[in-house]
Amino acid sequence: MAQIRLSFILLLFISSVAWAKHPAVRGRSRARAFVEFQCQATLYPDLCVRCLSYYLSNFTKTQTHEQLVNIALRVSLSRAQSTRAYVTDVAKQLKQTKAKDYQAVKDCLDQINDGVDQLTNCIKEVEEIKENGGSEFPWHASNVETWMSTVQSDASICINGFSSRAIGGKTKAMIKAKVINLEQVTSISLALFNRYAARYRAPHATGPKA
């Protein structure tokens, strides 16, 4: 019986070693290590890893800062869009009931709408960096940094708008949680972009670093 158990354990060990050597597993491990390392440069490393780990399959062949920035921006945009959808529904309900909290929610929705637009512009601008680069890089980079900072400011304005209003507890908590999350993931995107931009700004005659 003990010999059978030992043989079974040995078989599991051999299988796990063989699986670890599989190209897809090695690629995924390298990708996760890359993501975890880059996330340390952000204010929210754990959240950063959780957000980006879902996209590890995008990094199994190559791992570049440009890829990371593109994915991080799309995560931010997705959060902004889902937040907008939720706040839009709340605003509609409050408007129908003529609730006194409607204006606070409507003001917040205006900020979130602006954030969606800004993040959409950021994604397009990063594509311009990829296509043009070179001498135009500082201008593109400045636009991206300004727009992402604006998204964070918009989120703060939204949250502050509730401080003096007596909006319902659960609804207020849900909106704040979604907006704070949006602010945090955008902070992550900005930190990763700044890291990418710093590498790109190095003497560009040799091209952007990976």
Side-chain angles (χ1 to χ4, degrees):
M1 187 69 174
Q3 185 175 3
I4 294 175
R5 185 181 295 112
L6 180 61
S7 299
F8 179 70
I9 294 173
L10 182 60
L11 179 61
L12 284 179
F13 174 75
I14 294 173
S15 298
S16 64
V17 170
W19 177 246
K21 291 182 178 180
H22 191 279
V25 175
R26 290 202 308 272
R28 190 174 179 84
S29 297
R30 287 195 301 269
R32 184 171 183 84
F34 173 73
V35 167
E36 289 178 348
F37 179 76
Q38 300 304 326
C39 282
Q40 294 305 309
T42 72
L43 292 176
Y44 311 100
D46 292 338
L47 176 61
C48 177
V49 173
R50 288 200 303 273
C51 289
L52 300 181
S53 291
Y54 182 79
Y55 302 93
L56 287 180
S57 59
N58 293 53
F59 298 99
T60 52
K61 293 183 179 180
T62 59
Q63 298 93 41
T64 68
H65 294 266
E66 181 186 332
Q67 284 177 306
L68 201 62
V69 167
N70 273 299
I71 290 174
L73 281 171
R74 281 170 170 74
V75 170
S76 294
L77 178 59
S78 176
R79 297 296 170 87
Q81 290 170 332
S82 64
T83 300
R84 178 174 66 179
Y86 178 78
V87 178
T88 297
D89 287 341
V90 172
K92 286 180 180 178
Q93 293 171 13
L94 294 176
K95 186 176 183 179
Q96 289 173 354
T97 59
K98 298 182 179 179
K100 61 181 179 180
D101 300 320
Y102 167 72
Q103 191 56 51
V105 175
K106 176 62 168 59
D107 292 343
C108 176
L109 181 58
D110 290 341
Q111 301 301 325
I112 301 303
N113 277 327
D114 185 60
V116 170
D117 291 341
Q118 302 285 6
L119 287 166
T120 301
N121 289 336
C122 285
I123 292 172
K124 293 178 181 178
E125 201 74 3
V126 170
E127 287 299 317
E128 288 294 322
I129 291 175
K130 179 180 178 181
E131 293 178 7
N132 298 327
S135 60
E136 296 184 9
F137 175 81
W139 183 71
H140 292 306
S142 177
N143 286 339
V144 173
E145 291 163 352
T146 298
W147 292 332
M148 275 198 274
S149 295
T150 300
V151 175
Q152 292 179 279
S153 297
D154 288 340
S156 295
I157 292 172
C158 169
I159 294 171
N160 292 336
F162 291 127
S163 61
S164 59
R165 308 293 181 97
I167 189 171
K170 289 184 178 179
T171 302
K172 177 180 179 179
M174 181 62 74
I175 292 176
K176 288 186 69 174
K178 287 181 174 294
V179 175
I180 288 173
N181 182 259
L182 170 59
E183 185 177 19
Q184 290 175 342
V185 295
T186 303
S187 169
I188 289 168
S189 297
L190 180 56
L192 294 175
F193 179 80
N194 285 337
R195 192 173 178 85
Y196 162 66
R199 296 172 68 86
Y200 203 110
R201 285 188 178 108
H204 200 68
T206 58
K209 297 181 180 179

